[in-house]
Amino acid sequence: MTTDTENLQQMAEEEYKYGFYTDIESETIPAGLNEDVIRLISTKKKEPEEMLEWRLKAYRQWLKMEEPDWAFIHYPKIDYQEIAYYSAPKSKKDGPKRLDEVDPELLETYKKLGIPLEEQEILAGVAVDAVFDSVSVATTFRERLSDEGIIFCSMSEALQEHGDLVIKYLGSVVPYTDNFFAALNSAVFSDGSFCYIPKGVRCPMELSTYFRINAAKTGQFERTLIVADEGSYVSYLEGCTAPMRDENQLHAAVVELVAHKDAAIKYSTIQNWYPGDEEGKGGIYNFVTKRGKCLGDNSRISWSQVETGSAITWKYPSCLLIGDNSIGEFYSVALTKMRQQADTGTKMIHIGKNTRSNIVSKGISAGRGQNTYRGLVKISGKAENARNYTQCDSMLIGDQCGAHTFPYIEVGNSTAKMEHEASTSKIGEDQIFYCQQRGLSAEDAVSMIVNGFCKEVFKELPMEFAVEAQKLLAVNLEGSVG
Amino acid sequence: MLEIRNLHVNAKGKEILKGIDLTVRAGEVHSIMGPNGSGKSTLAQVLAGKPDYEITQGSVTFLGQDLLELDPEVRAREGLFLAFQYPIEIPGVSNSYFLRAALNAVRKHRGEKEVDALEFLKLVRAKAKLLKMDESLINRPVNEGFSGGEKKRNEIFHMALLEPTLGVLDETDSGLDIDALKIVAEGVNSLRSPERAFIVVTHYQRLLDYIVPDFVHVLHQGRIVKSGDKSLALELEKSGYSWVEDEASVRI
């Protein structure tokens, strides 16, 4: 019994395997935040005047707001004046236009991460809008997409080239007044991705962005906006790993999705930011606001996430189900080990008639990890025949971790049908012994049992992502259970 | 093949096995019988390496190695198989995926080539037919939602696939109806060979009508109090365990 517990402990303390960082000259604005810094960011990005106004309004709003403290997470107070709010890889001319113009060291980093940027990987059918630090340095497949009328580019480019379209939707799902971190992001966001799928177009490939934090003390403030016009479909993949760091790094991204009539958006995330060391030192603070608006009738938004990294994860990908018959989905796997803390879940706000939502959350806690599911299902008065199904399962590995569930249900219409199922299980020593008796090592047993536990979520991920997610869980659990 | 010498085992501070001696040679089938709480299942689990027990005295040699020194998975890979009394469920992991991983772990240990999906499928089909297993059970998660009988049959299916050197069956007959019992027994009998041995732990004689043992041992209060051939099992069936207990208490 003790050996197994030790194994478990050891596995839970396994160090981050992607701990490296690339030395690239960064162009960084000195630490601190004030209106001048925001003006500078806006100028550097050659944004339309309107954007600067919007950023400043967001900043003034942020000054009036308080950092939220309701989540089940604990961390030292963040000094927002110690953070540098802009960092861009230095471009030798005006920025690379082709891959061979990209800094070779940067490409090397991508290679280490296994990011498919090169020719043969292009054949894999993934278009990558790579975000390294805060500026997009390479975009592939743009032409193929533009043949279909699809816009897929960095947010900076989008603001310059499709300003009206971006400004029309930016902040329409997550207004800068929404919350403290969304306001901060609106004021200082440096870059991100923009995607527009025109009417009736089914995006011919899965779109992918890789985020990576690099420069020291630089907050990462990404902004992503995806608009799916009537009858269109897009599947978007977001995956990230981050280099090892001593200092805590703040990451406050905002993702907004808009689905018009009959449109569908599938947004999948693998999050593997640096989780900090065994004692919880270092590691990314990940405060993310993700929300989708099912604006039109019969629209559908599906969030899938595999969260294995970050010291702190604070994230609730949500759906506003406005159109009649619209569908919102949330599938989540969150793994916390060592001293990681995750407070994650979703909000499903039913407004239209016959709206449906489906929530499947799988939390795994190992080491001294704390894992919280927090979810709100709200049925408004006008939402006739709304349906929700929620399932949240927690798995505990070892005896020093925690799992918590906070479901909030508000029903304003008596025709609603709500289902909620929850379970908490401890990974059984019996299960591990059973696997061992068949010849499997304790480590393989744990990985197999955990992957089995997450299966319902993995099957919602795009194929190659699902494979990656399984590997990621196995790597993260190495050395961990009993 | 297996030599148990003066084995004493504690569980939660209480002595359960109080000096077991047992020799099992290749090709033999030994049956361990005894009343509830006599230590039958403990013996089976200790052989497989379940971590909840403390071995206070004695030794177990398996194929010339000190069995008690080996991790449970190494024992399994060396050819020791335990058919569980209460098979464990592993939600979300398909029986076939699980078994292929297990089989390949065993093969790797023996320095053999891993089996690919196609070969494995052929193997699985053949063994499933042998045990009249519904093919749907093969792709369902390990033991999840299986009936009691299906679970037991699945254990023998695992054994048939992994082809161990020593099979330990821990009350495999409990919860089986007569038809399932016959199928399970046929499965075990088909595996009987001069190189392979079995220890069949059972409470009732019934199973031994179908898996005929070479030796029967009666376990009582952590000791083997009587050994004999299959006629001993029939005697037990007729007179119950009380006469063995009486005899044992007289001797003590």
Side-chain angles (χ1 to χ4, degrees):
Chain A
M1 188 155 65
T2 38
T3 357
D4 275 349
T5 314
E6 275 163 26
N7 280 343
L8 209 150
Q9 213 59 39
Q10 197 189 334
M11 206 186 285
E13 283 161 7
E14 191 73 11
E15 280 185 22
Y16 186 72
K17 299 224 160 162
Y18 300 103
F20 51 82
Y21 76 94
T22 310
D23 185 19
I24 290 176
E25 298 169 74
S26 293
E27 191 187 343
T28 303
I29 295 178
L33 185 56
N34 54 50
E35 294 200 0
D36 288 341
V37 168
I38 290 162
R39 285 196 180 88
L40 194 59
I41 292 171
S42 193
T43 311
K44 273 191 179 279
K45 306 201 77 70
K46 306 186 182 72
E47 286 176 350
E49 185 62 28
E50 271 174 280
M51 271 312 295
L52 175 62
E53 288 306 313
W54 191 71
R55 284 175 182 274
L56 288 172
K57 271 192 246 169
Y59 174 67
R60 287 163 199 154
Q61 174 69 28
W62 178 73
L63 288 176
K64 288 186 270 179
M65 295 171 104
E66 297 267 334
E67 199 171 321
D69 61 358
W70 42 261
F72 194 74
I73 48 177
H74 306 278
Y75 55 96
K77 213 169 160 46
I78 300 166
D79 184 345
Y80 291 91
Q81 293 304 332
E82 275 206 342
I83 294 168
Y85 287 86
Y86 182 80
S87 164
K90 242 180 190 169
S91 53
K92 275 155 188 132
K93 293 166 221 157
D94 273 317
K97 302 271 184 300
R98 294 203 318 267
L99 261 186
D100 52 17
E101 293 176 21
V102 172
D103 190 327
E105 214 174 321
L106 187 59
L107 291 177
E108 194 52 41
T109 306
Y110 284 138
K111 264 190 207 149
K112 275 190 218 166
L113 291 169
I115 293 172
L117 263 187
E118 278 142 330
E119 204 64 31
Q120 68 267 36
E121 281 114 7
I122 289 171
L123 292 171
V126 178
V128 176
D129 178 21
V131 178
F132 187 86
D133 272 16
S134 315
V135 170
S136 297
V137 289
T139 304
T140 48
F141 257 109
R142 186 89 57 88
E143 278 156 35
R144 169 91 198 274
L145 293 171
S146 71
D147 286 348
E148 303 268 3
I150 295 167
I151 303 168
F152 179 44
C153 60
S154 72
M155 188 58 92
S156 324
E157 252 181 289
L159 275 166
Q160 287 164 30
E161 289 167 26
H162 312 278
D164 291 349
L165 191 59
V166 178
I167 288 166
K168 180 176 168 193
Y169 289 105
L170 195 72
S172 72
V173 185
V174 181
Y176 58 75
T177 49
D178 190 77
N179 71 69
F180 182 82
F181 295 106
L184 179 64
N185 174 287
S186 303
V188 303
F189 77 84
S190 39
D191 213 335
S193 299
F194 173 72
C195 178
Y196 173 80
I197 316 289
K199 273 184 195 171
V201 171
R202 188 178 170 89
C203 185
M205 63 193 76
E206 269 154 358
L207 301 182
S208 167
T209 301
Y210 288 84
F211 297 91
R212 190 168 167 87
I213 298 179
N214 203 293
K217 279 192 183 171
T218 305
Q220 185 87 356
F221 302 96
E222 299 293 342
R223 187 101 196 176
T224 300
L225 173 60
I226 299 173
V227 180
D229 217 327
E230 283 184 27
S232 69
Y233 169 82
V234 63
S235 168
Y236 192 90
L237 316 181
E238 172 204 349
C240 25
T241 56
M244 189 172 288
R245 278 286 157 194
D246 256 344
E247 291 142 272
N248 290 311
Q249 290 182 301
L250 177 65
H251 184 212
V254 172
V255 176
E256 296 177 282
L257 311 181
V258 179
H260 286 283
K261 190 166 175 286
D262 301 320
I265 303 175
K266 187 174 172 64
Y267 193 104
S268 315
T269 304
I270 290 186
Q271 187 267 114
N272 190 28
W273 303 110
Y274 178 51
D277 66 14
E278 264 170 55
E279 293 310 310
K281 193 162 174 282
I284 304 297
Y285 290 179
N286 196 24
F287 294 92
V288 183
T289 307
K290 287 185 170 176
R291 195 174 301 154
K293 213 181 211 178
C294 284
L295 203 55
D297 293 352
N298 316 313
S299 56
R300 178 177 196 141
I301 288 178
S302 173
W303 298 100
S304 320
Q305 61 174 24
V306 177
E307 305 279 322
T308 61
S310 296
I312 287 173
T313 300
W314 179 98
K315 155 172 190 195
Y316 316 91
S318 303
C319 296
L320 299 169
L321 303 170
I322 297 165
D324 291 348
N325 317 311
S326 60
I327 298 171
E329 293 167 304
F330 174 74
Y331 303 102
S332 171
V333 166
L335 169 70
T336 53
K337 53 171 189 164
M338 297 190 294
R339 289 187 187 257
Q340 282 176 279
Q341 308 171 63
D343 192 304
T344 184
T346 184
K347 287 189 277 185
M348 293 290 174
I349 314 295
H350 293 250
I351 297 161
K353 294 186 185 74
N354 307 313
T355 46
R356 281 191 287 148
S357 62
N358 198 20
I359 299 170
V360 179
S361 163
K362 303 278 179 176
I364 304 142
S365 315
R368 291 164 188 264
Q370 293 292 335
N371 210 318
T372 301
Y373 167 80
R374 188 183 301 278
L376 168 68
V377 180
K378 186 174 178 175
I379 313 291
S380 74
K382 287 180 191 163
E384 293 287 324
N385 299 315
R387 288 215 56 168
N388 164 262
Y389 172 75
T390 299
Q391 181 188 342
C392 44
D393 299 324
S394 306
M395 181 179 265
L396 300 168
I397 302 176
D399 52 11
Q400 296 183 68
C401 53
H404 317 272
T405 305
F406 299 100
Y408 304 82
I409 299 171
E410 293 173 24
V411 179
N413 186 307
S414 59
T415 60
K417 280 187 192 155
M418 317 285 288
E419 286 175 79
H420 182 96
E421 285 182 34
S423 76
T424 302
S425 56
K426 193 163 189 282
I427 196 162
E429 284 173 5
D430 284 350
Q431 282 178 319
I432 292 169
F433 176 63
Y434 188 70
C435 295
Q436 283 179 296
Q437 212 304 302
R438 296 296 181 260
L440 302 168
S441 67
E443 213 164 78
D444 288 346
V446 167
S447 159
M448 196 181 264
I449 294 163
V450 169
N451 274 311
F453 174 71
C454 299
K455 201 175 191 175
E456 287 153 288
V457 173
F458 287 167
K459 74 177 175 21
E460 298 297 331
L461 294 172
M463 188 64 166
E464 66 275 24
F465 237 36
V467 172
E468 209 177 302
Q470 290 198 23
K471 279 190 203 148
L472 191 60
L473 276 195
V475 166
N476 271 294
L477 285 165
E478 262 172 38
S480 162
V481 181
Chain B
M1 176 185 292
L2 184 77
E3 290 270 346
I4 305 176
R5 289 285 162 263
N6 191 32
L7 184 67
H8 289 252
V9 174
N10 283 5
K12 291 173 188 150
K14 194 175 163 236
E15 188 164 52
I16 307 287
L17 298 182
K18 303 169 183 172
I20 301 280
D21 289 286
L22 182 66
T23 302
V24 178
R25 281 174 291 266
E28 295 177 349
V29 174
H30 289 247
S31 172
I32 311 267
M33 300 184 74
N36 290 330
S38 58
K40 303 187 300 283
S41 285
T42 300
L43 178 62
Q45 291 178 345
V46 165
L47 290 177
K50 193 161 200 272
D52 309 347
Y53 300 101
E54 189 198 345
I55 287 119
T56 52
Q57 263 190 74
S59 67
V60 182
T61 312
F62 176 59
L63 300 170
Q65 299 182 73
D66 181 355
L67 185 74
L68 303 176
E69 282 299 302
L70 303 178
D71 285 337
E73 65 267 33
V74 180
R75 299 182 195 196
R77 293 170 195 164
E78 286 287 333
L80 191 151
F81 181 93
L82 173 66
F84 283 58
Q85 183 180 2
Y86 304 107
I88 308 293
E89 299 183 1
I90 308 177
V93 177
S94 83
N95 213 6
S96 68
Y97 179 81
F98 175 75
L99 272 176
R100 197 176 143 204
L103 182 62
N104 281 333
V106 171
R107 291 180 67 100
K108 206 173 152 194
H109 183 74
R110 293 187 196 144
E112 294 168 0
K113 209 169 92 263
E114 297 193 356
V115 290
D116 64 30
L118 208 66
E119 285 172 83
F120 182 72
L121 192 69
K122 275 190 206 158
L123 202 58
V124 158
R125 290 224 165 113
K127 303 292 183 186
K129 211 170 155 191
L130 179 75
L131 287 157
K132 301 189 173 66
M133 284 264 293
D134 187 339
E135 283 210 25
S136 74
L137 295 182
I138 295 159
N139 294 314
R140 266 167 48 188
V142 182
N143 293 323
E144 198 188 30
F146 285 31
S147 70
E150 285 169 339
K151 283 183 182 174
K152 294 299 180 72
R153 205 184 297 186
N154 194 32
E155 291 295 287
I156 303 305
F157 173 62
H158 285 191
M159 184 167 79
L161 207 84
L162 297 171
E163 301 186 323
T165 316
L166 174 64
V168 181
L169 276 56
D170 188 3
E171 303 209 17
T172 299
D173 51 335
S174 63
L176 289 185
D177 60 35
I178 193 72
D179 293 331
L181 187 77
K182 280 183 192 166
I183 293 165
V184 162
E186 270 171 43
V188 174
N189 288 331
S190 73
L191 287 169
R192 284 179 80 158
S193 81
E195 297 81 40
R196 198 170 278 146
F198 293 92
I199 296 175
V200 180
V201 173
T202 180
H203 191 73
Y204 302 105
Q205 190 271 339
R206 194 177 63 152
L207 178 67
L208 306 180
D209 286 341
Y210 303 98
I211 305 174
V212 181
D214 300 302
F215 301 94
V216 174
H217 311 276
V218 179
L219 198 62
H220 177 60
Q221 293 183 351
R223 287 187 186 90
I224 291 178
V225 293
K226 204 166 176 58
S227 294
D229 60 12
K230 64 181 178 189
S231 62
L232 178 58
L234 292 168
E235 224 169 312
L236 283 170
E237 177 82 350
K238 223 182 327 169
S239 342
Y241 285 108
S242 54
W243 67 270
V244 186
E245 286 170 25
D246 295 344
E247 215 171 87
S249 58
V250 168
R251 217 168 47 188
I252 293 160

